[in-house]
Amino acid sequence: MNTQENIASDITASGVYKTVTLEEPLTRGDTLITSVQIRKPVAGELRGVSLMDLGNLDVVSLQRVLPRITVPTLAPHDVAKLDLADLMALGSEVAVFLLKKADRPVVYPNS
């Protein structure tokens, strides 16, 4: 494994990134997006968003935050086009990131 692969593996293992496979892929030009990596946000990336709204998976809040923390970057109009199951999957990962590590297994046993 090269250094880049080691870093990517360490980041994924640390819980900073989660990969969500989309049930309904997004099309952006000639590109088909089948999975999205979501990164744990830092406080500054949550500016202008209520943590309560984000924890409640408010669609408007997710449209503001997901473009800041996804790879490939999902624009607000991409988020608006997501299948509801995919939006819930991405939103659930954001909600898990809001919890302390010690509380995650209690609330979300499979994370």
Side-chain angles (χ1 to χ4, degrees), residues 16-67:
V16 175
Y17 277 92
K18 295 286 184 166
T19 300
V20 175
T21 302
L22 301 178
E23 287 192 14
E24 296 293 328
L26 288 174
T27 303
R28 185 185 292 155
D30 294 336
T31 305
L32 187 66
I33 301 171
T34 58
S35 66
V36 175
Q37 274 196 322
I38 185 168
R39 180 180 45 77
K40 182 178 180 179
V42 294
E45 291 168 323
L46 301 178
R47 68 191 173 282
V49 176
S50 161
L51 291 179
M52 280 298 263
D53 289 344
L54 199 54
N56 287 325
L57 307 182
D58 176 70
V59 174
V60 174
S61 296
L62 289 171
Q63 282 180 307
R64 291 184 89 179
V65 172
L66 287 174

